[in-house]
Every structure is written in C-alpha cells, then in structure tokens.
C-alpha cells in the first residue's frame, strides 16, 4: 500500500484539472485492503475509487481518500469454438486489454476500442460505443465490499446494467472492483451498423478479410475523427448522457424541429442525442476562458489549459439551462463530480 498525503491530482484526471486529495492510496493487490481498512488515518473520511480518471470532474480539493487499485494481469480462462472467456484485473488499461484480446483474434470487444480508462471502471458506467455495451460481454465482476472487506462476485444480472448505469454507479464508495470476467462468442459477428464505421472500413488500405483487428482500426479512426485525445486536450468524453424523454415530448419536438434525430428506447420513451440539443443552442466550439465545448463534438467539454473544475462545471450548468429553456429537456452529467 502506498500513501501520499496532500496529493496533486492533475495527472490523475483526464480533464487535467489541478486539485489535491487529502490522501492518495494505491493498492497493488486486493490483499492490501485489510491493512487499508484497519488504518485509522482513513476512518470516517469520504472515499472515492479512482480508475483512469477519465470520467471525473474535480471542482475543488478532495478532503478524503482517493483509492487507486493497481491490480494487474489478464488471462484467457477458456477457449472453445463457441465461447472464449477472458479475465482482466481492474488496474489494466481498458484499451490495452482490448488490443491484447483483438491481437489474438478474439471477437466481441473491438467496438469498444480506444475508450480511455481502466478495466475496473468499465462496469461502473457500463461503457458503450458503436452499438456495443459492456453488459453484452460481461460474465462476472469480482469486487471487494468496502463496508465489510469481503470478496464478492456479481453475475451480469447482479450488476443491474442499464445505459451508462450499474449497481456500482448507484452505490458509490461501496465496492472496489478487482477484476472482470468476459464471455465472448467464439464466432466473429461484426457490428458495423453505426454511422461512419462502414466508410472507415472502406477507406482502409488493407483489403484482407474482415477481422476484429480491422474493425478495431475502423472504430479508432471514427473516434479520433471527432473525439479529442485526452493526452492532447483535457476532456472526459461525453459530458452528458443522451436524455430519455417521453415519446409525446419527442413527437412534439420533432414536429417543430424536423431534423432532430430520435432513437427508439423502452416503451413510451425516446432517446435524443444530447450533442444535437447542445449544438442547436449554439455551444459547439463555444469557449469561456479555458473551458470550452469541443469544436468537432458538442457533447465533449474540454480544458484548453488552465480551466478549473468549477469553470467547467459552470459551463455545464449554462448548457443545461439553455437546453432546458429551449427544449424542455433535462441533461444529466455523466462524469462523477467531486
Ligand atoms: N450530433 C450533433 N452535433 C455534434 C455531434 C453529434 O448534432 O456535434 C448528433 C448527430 O445527429 C449524431 C448524434 O448526435 O448522429 C450522435 O452522435 P455520436 O454518434 O457522436 O454519438 P453520441 O450519442 O454523441 C454516444 C456515446 C459515446 C460513444 C458514441 C458512439 C453517450 C453519452 N455517448 O455519443 O460515448 O462513443 O455514442 O457510440 O452515450 C462517452 O461515453 O464518453 C462516449 C464518448
């Protein structure tokens, strides 16, 4: 267990916002949890489990414990014609894991390529992109219950996955995810229906047979075409969830704005792209000091350099108000705010 007091967090969040944590505690193995729970320095303090910091907005110093699991390792548990089972520890880079799986020809993870963050954070918000969500490939999530220190295992149903949501997201600070077990169909069933993906495949030099590696390459090209690389420009991906609205509100908005995209959702509901609502309110490319809205994608807030978390949050509030006033739709922020 490594403990740093008054730890600077700028390099621990992909917005690159400057802030300190009272304690930054790194665990190299799940066995270290017992010592952590017994350490009186940490008792009674708020606790936040930090993965890659790619879904986090720090609006000030954190007067608690940032707990960083750095559990490493990935393995093939079983490989049969019909099914491949993989296990990855929480501290592994998500995209490093996807790359490793795809390089071995395993299919099912390729549409989730190039998403920043760690394996342990992926189930928390049920990461999803280009027609695939984490819940489609998860068999089991292994965790430690921080209220008791006991090891717990969640089946996919136990995880209560929903759009950008899970039992872990709804119980912040309760569980420390240690590893994820994946179950992939042995047969490659490419999902290429998302706009932009077929064109990116067609543009590839390599015209060999379609493979998970080629799909991964196409997905990365689509992502990098519109989403900024956090290593270059601070951001946390989508800042808002795509709102679910009643079908009747969607119908009446569609009557007024014929070009508005609407996606089907659960009975009686419809999903509207938040990016479209934000762009209509004139925020695409907007900038207030160093806090801004990405010029290529209206759903991504960016830090051009020295923006504080409070400034980024103020911009988010301004956007929410504008969308509420114009469309009567409530936008829900996606990143955790501390
Ligand atoms: N659009 C605009 N203006 C823009 C960008 C998009 O009007 O500036 C409209 C277009 O009509 C477009 C639609 O919004 O067709 C959807 O845009 P996009 O395909 O880029 O997807 P998204 O709904 O904005 C979601 C996820 C992304 C994920 C992509 C691809 C959420 C909150 N975001 O974005 O996830 O990569 O789909 O599947 O669901 C993330 O969570 O950080 C993230 C990047």
């Amino acid at each position: 267990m490594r403990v740093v007091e008054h730890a600077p967090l700028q390099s621990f969040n992909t917005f690159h916002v400057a802030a300190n944590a009272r304690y930054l505690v790194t665990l190299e193995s799940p066995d270290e949890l017992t010592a952590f729970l017994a350490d009186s320095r940490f008792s009674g303090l708020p606790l936040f489990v930090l993965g890659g910091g790619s879904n986090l907005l720090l609006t000030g110093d954190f007067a608690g414990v940032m707990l960083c699991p750095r559990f490493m390792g990935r393995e093939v548990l079983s490989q049969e014609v019909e099914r491949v089972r993989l296990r990855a520890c929480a501290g592994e880079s998500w995209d490093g894991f996807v790359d490793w799986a795809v390089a071995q020809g395993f299919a099912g993870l390729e549409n989730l390529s190039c998403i920043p963050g760690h394996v342990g954070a992926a189930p928390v918000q049920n990461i999803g992109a280009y027609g695939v969500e984490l819940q489609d490939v998860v068999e089991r999530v292994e965790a430690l219950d921080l209220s008791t220190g006991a090891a717990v295992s969640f089946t996919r149903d136990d995880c209560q996955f929903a759009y950008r949501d899970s039992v872990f997201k709804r119980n912040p600070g309760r569980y420390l995810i240690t590893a994820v077990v994946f179950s992939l169909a042995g047969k490659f069933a490419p999902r290429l229906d998302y706009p932009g993906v077929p064109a990116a495949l067609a543009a590839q030099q390599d015209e060999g047979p379609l493979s998970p590696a080629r799909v991964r390459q196409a997905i990365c090209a689509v992502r990098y075409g519109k989403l900024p690389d956090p290593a270059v420009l601070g951001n946390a991906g989508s800042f808002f969830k795509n709102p679910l609205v009643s079908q009747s509100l969607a119908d009446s908005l569609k009557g007024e704005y014929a070009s508005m995209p609407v996606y089907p959702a659960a009975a009686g509901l419809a999903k509207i792209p938040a990016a479209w609502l934000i762009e209509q309110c004139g925020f695409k490319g907007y900038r207030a000091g160093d806090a801004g809205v990405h010029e290529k994608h209206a759903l991504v807030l960016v830090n051009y350099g020295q923006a504080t978390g409070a400034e980024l949050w103020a911009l988010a509030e301004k956007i929410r108000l504008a969308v509420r006033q114009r469309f009567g739709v409530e936008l829900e922020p996606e990143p955790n705010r501390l």
Side-chain angles (χ1 to χ4, degrees):
M1 177 167 78
R2 275 184 289 130
V3 180
V4 180
E5 217 175 328
H6 306 297
L9 297 174
Q10 196 159 17
S11 60
F12 288 84
N13 71 98
T14 60
F15 261 126
H16 309 308
V17 159
N20 290 329
R22 177 81 176 86
Y23 291 105
L24 181 74
V25 178
T26 308
L27 301 184
E28 306 289 343
S29 127
D31 300 339
E32 294 180 337
L33 187 74
T34 312
F36 169 76
L37 291 176
D39 196 315
S40 60
R41 286 175 293 178
F42 311 133
S43 66
L45 290 182
L47 186 137
F48 184 80
V49 179
L50 182 66
S54 55
N55 200 39
L56 172 66
L57 180 62
L58 293 158
T59 53
D61 288 340
F62 181 54
V65 183
M66 284 281 183
L67 189 59
C68 307
R70 290 291 175 265
F71 315 146
M72 307 305 280
R74 53 200 186 195
E75 61 186 313
V76 180
L77 292 179
S78 61
Q79 185 177 354
E80 283 152 22
V81 181
E82 296 284 309
R83 196 135 296 277
V84 174
R85 295 172 64 248
L86 310 176
R87 180 175 181 274
C89 294
E92 291 285 342
S93 131
W94 170 260
D95 194 51
F97 166 64
V98 173
D99 192 38
W100 170 83
V102 166
Q104 295 175 76
F106 300 143
L109 296 166
E110 59 279 1
N111 287 42
L112 299 175
S113 286
C114 300
I115 298 178
H118 289 181
V119 166
V124 179
Q125 55 155 346
N126 185 22
I127 57 170
Y130 306 101
V132 175
E133 285 184 309
L134 191 88
Q135 65 179 351
D136 303 328
V137 289
V138 162
E139 177 184 300
R140 192 158 49 83
V141 173
E142 299 169 13
L144 297 169
D145 185 335
L146 293 170
S147 66
T148 60
V152 275
S153 178
F154 293 82
T155 63
R156 183 170 47 171
D157 281 353
D158 294 338
C159 293
Q160 298 171 26
F161 287 124
Y163 169 61
R164 294 296 190 274
D165 199 20
S166 71
V167 70
F168 312 108
K169 178 113 186 183
R170 287 194 289 275
N171 293 278
R174 172 82 191 268
Y175 300 106
L176 179 68
I177 293 174
T178 52
V180 182
V181 174
F182 299 86
S183 173
L184 309 178
K187 193 163 173 286
F188 179 36
R191 292 287 309 267
L192 309 175
D193 40 357
Y194 205 91
V197 177
L201 272 173
Q204 288 174 352
Q205 305 275 311
D206 172 7
E207 290 185 353
L210 193 59
S211 62
R214 279 190 61 195
V215 174
R216 168 172 166 77
Q217 214 178 41
I219 295 289
C220 292
V222 173
R223 274 190 84 89
Y224 289 138
K226 51 185 171 181
L227 298 175
D229 178 353
V232 178
L233 185 62
N235 75 89
S238 303
F239 198 88
F240 298 101
K241 294 184 190 180
N242 286 329
L244 281 169
V245 302
S246 67
Q247 189 63 55
S248 60
L249 176 58
D251 290 344
S252 90
L253 287 173
K254 188 81 186 165
E256 212 176 327
Y257 305 95
S259 68
M260 184 181 81
V262 183
Y263 308 125
L269 296 174
K271 201 187 251 185
I272 301 175
W276 186 89
L277 298 167
I278 296 167
E279 183 171 345
Q280 295 303 306
C281 291
F283 281 104
K284 192 168 180 172
Y286 174 89
R287 188 167 169 171
D290 272 354
V293 178
H294 190 46
E295 53 198 12
K296 289 194 195 150
H297 204 301
L299 195 48
V300 182
L301 298 198
V302 293
N303 176 7
Y304 283 104
Q306 305 303 319
T308 63
E311 286 165 345
L312 286 158
W313 186 251
L315 173 57
E317 288 289 17
K318 193 170 176 168
I319 291 170
R320 288 176 87 183
L321 180 65
V323 168
R324 189 184 303 133
Q325 285 179 338
R326 172 138 176 215
F327 296 104
V329 174
E330 199 56 45
L331 291 184
E332 190 186 336
E334 216 205 313
N336 298 301
R337 181 169 72 105
L338 285 183

